[in-house]
Amino acid sequence: MAERVELDVAGRTVSVSSPDREIFPTTSAGAAVSKLDVVCYYVEVGEALLTALRHRPTTLERWPKGVFEGAV
């Protein structure tokens, strides 16, 4: 099991710790997916994904009781 893998992503070095760690287990739909598999997928689709998400909110934090000092 590799401890760390370094990838070149758009001219930057990205370090992936525990690349062999299983993120999604084997199911009837397909084989197990490792952490490195997930990272490689995002490297491949990253440009298109960022283009699609440009100018769109990607997170939302709700404050149904309003914002006040000490709110958590």
Side-chain angles (χ1 to χ4, degrees), residues 6-28:
E6 290 189 348
L7 302 172
D8 178 56
V9 180
R12 291 185 163 189
T13 300
V14 175
S15 182
V16 181
S17 62
S18 305
D20 298 327
R21 190 176 107 208
E22 192 176 275
I23 301 296
F24 300 105
T26 301
T27 65
S28 59

Side-chain angles (χ1 to χ4, degrees), residues 12-71:
R12 291 185 163 189
T13 300
V14 175
S15 182
V16 181
S17 62
S18 305
D20 298 327
R21 190 176 107 208
E22 192 176 275
I23 301 296
F24 300 105
T26 301
T27 65
S28 59
V33 178
S34 72
K35 187 175 181 181
L36 184 59
D37 292 333
V38 173
V39 171
C40 289
Y41 171 77
Y42 278 110
V43 168
E44 289 296 316
V45 302
E47 188 175 338
L49 182 64
L50 290 173
T51 299
L53 294 176
R54 184 166 285 126
H55 306 299
R56 294 175 186 249
T58 55
T59 61
L60 174 65
E61 188 169 324
R62 295 186 65 234
W63 295 83
K65 296 179 183 175
V67 179
F68 54 90
E69 187 70 33

